[in-house]
Amino acid sequence: MRVEARGLTFEVRTGGPEAGEAVLLLHGFPQHGGEWDDVTPPLHAAGLRTYAPDQRGYSPGARPVEASAYRVPELVADVVALLDALGVEAVHVVGHDWGAVVAWALAAWHPQRVRTLTAVSVPHPAAYGYALANDPRQKVRSAYMALFRQSGKAEKVLLAFRAAALRKLLAGVGDASRVARYADPMREPGALTGALNWYRAMSSRDLAAVGPVTVPTTFVWSDRDAAIGRTAAEDCVRHVTGEYRFVELSGVTHWIPDEAPAPLVEAILARVHGHCGS
């Protein structure tokens, strides 16, 4: 379905019983709301209603040109406006990769709208910042961002030879058809730039503004994640004052919703059911 919010048009995948408790699923780079397609059926079977938007830069009708339009406060404001448009007062939030950053900020800045939080792969921004400052290996893991922030050059590198570099980046999601499912939309005019603008608008000021999270929270991390190391993952607990669980998946890469949907669903349902009725 298409949802109008803040003068933009977002593509939103919906499913599950209309009367079910709402779960908002926020995708990461360079994917879209379809990354949750293996996660949503068991959530629906558990009686939950899911909403998986293609976020700013990914929905063709929500693709501002200026990189500054992709700052974290703008991304969070989109989510709040989408919830308002959908008539959802409070929601269980699940976010992967950049979607996790938005989810952390939403929970910190608008806790009244978040019933529970399940963050996947990317920890609280303060934990990530701590790792960058104290773990040399995290600096190496994050070096790719320097390319992503270079307007024009990043697009040229990632899209050359039918997006060979982008397809290599996505190799962990599964077979060639699954890789193409994410890579092909990024080849459309303006699409990759919209997605990369999240990196270009990123600032230490915005990330530092994400304070402690008070809502019940689960952080799901995998030990073969090339982007986020153990230092950042294990520091996450210091930035959650609500009830907290850390779920570590062994032998799984960064692409948890695609590669390991079953244990992720288990973690989401444990978080949601642990909060229901409280």
Side-chain angles (χ1 to χ4, degrees):
M1 65 184 294
R2 291 178 179 173
V3 179
E4 303 290 329
R6 306 185 72 209
L8 304 172
T9 302
F10 294 88
E11 306 290 334
V12 183
R13 292 168 174 80
T14 64
E18 292 189 9
E21 290 195 44
V23 179
L24 180 69
L25 301 159
L26 301 174
H27 67 84
F29 174 88
Q31 298 178 279
H32 49 64
E35 79 163 270
W36 304 106
D37 284 356
D38 290 339
V39 172
T40 52
L43 298 185
H44 299 160
L48 299 170
R49 177 74 169 171
T50 62
Y51 300 93
D54 291 352
Q55 296 185 81
R56 178 176 291 231
Y58 294 84
S59 288
R63 194 170 285 162
V65 175
E66 304 83 3
S68 60
Y70 294 80
R71 291 179 54 207
V72 173
E74 296 291 340
L75 306 173
V76 173
D78 287 345
V79 173
V80 173
L82 281 171
L83 293 178
D84 290 343
L86 292 166
V88 177
E89 182 63 30
V91 68
H92 300 282
V93 180
V94 182
H96 172 242
D97 187 75
W98 260 110
V101 177
V102 176
W104 284 112
L106 178 69
W109 297 340
H110 302 278
Q112 75 281 6
R113 307 303 297 267
V114 179
R115 299 192 65 182
T116 69
L117 168 63
T118 302
V120 186
S121 299
V122 173
H124 189 286
Y128 177 72
Y130 172 82
L132 274 179
N134 294 278
D135 183 357
R137 290 171 294 182
Q138 184 59 59
K139 294 179 181 179
V140 174
R141 292 174 183 268
S142 301
Y144 68 93
M145 291 189 188
L147 170 63
F148 285 8
R149 290 169 66 90
Q150 296 183 52
S151 180
K153 182 177 180 179
E155 286 89 338
K156 183 176 180 180
V157 170
L158 292 173
L159 295 178
F161 305 107
R162 297 185 63 253
L166 189 62
R167 293 175 193 279
K168 183 178 180 181
L169 172 70
L170 286 161
V173 304
D175 61 19
S177 64
R178 189 172 286 257
V179 169
R181 186 184 190 205
Y182 302 127
D184 288 350
M186 290 290 99
R187 299 176 68 196
E188 297 172 4
L192 182 57
T193 296
L196 289 169
N197 276 342
W198 289 50
Y199 291 91
R200 293 162 186 167
M202 179 176 61
S203 73
S204 56
R205 179 185 63 182
D206 286 346
L207 296 179
V210 181
V213 168
T214 60
V215 306
T217 298
T218 294
F219 177 48
V220 183
W221 175 76
S222 44
D223 64 4
R224 291 187 60 206
D225 193 313
I228 300 294
R230 184 172 296 278
T231 298
E234 294 186 347
D235 190 64
C236 192
V237 64
R238 294 197 301 119
H239 308 284
V240 181
T241 61
E243 198 269 316
Y244 178 76
R245 300 172 195 165
F246 175 47
V247 176
E248 179 178 337
L249 304 182
S250 179
V252 178
T253 70
H254 179 76
W255 311 101
I256 293 174
D258 291 277
E259 188 178 356
L264 176 56
V265 166
E266 182 180 353
I268 294 169
L269 290 178
R271 171 50 62 203
V272 170
H273 290 157
H275 182 67
C276 287
S278 63

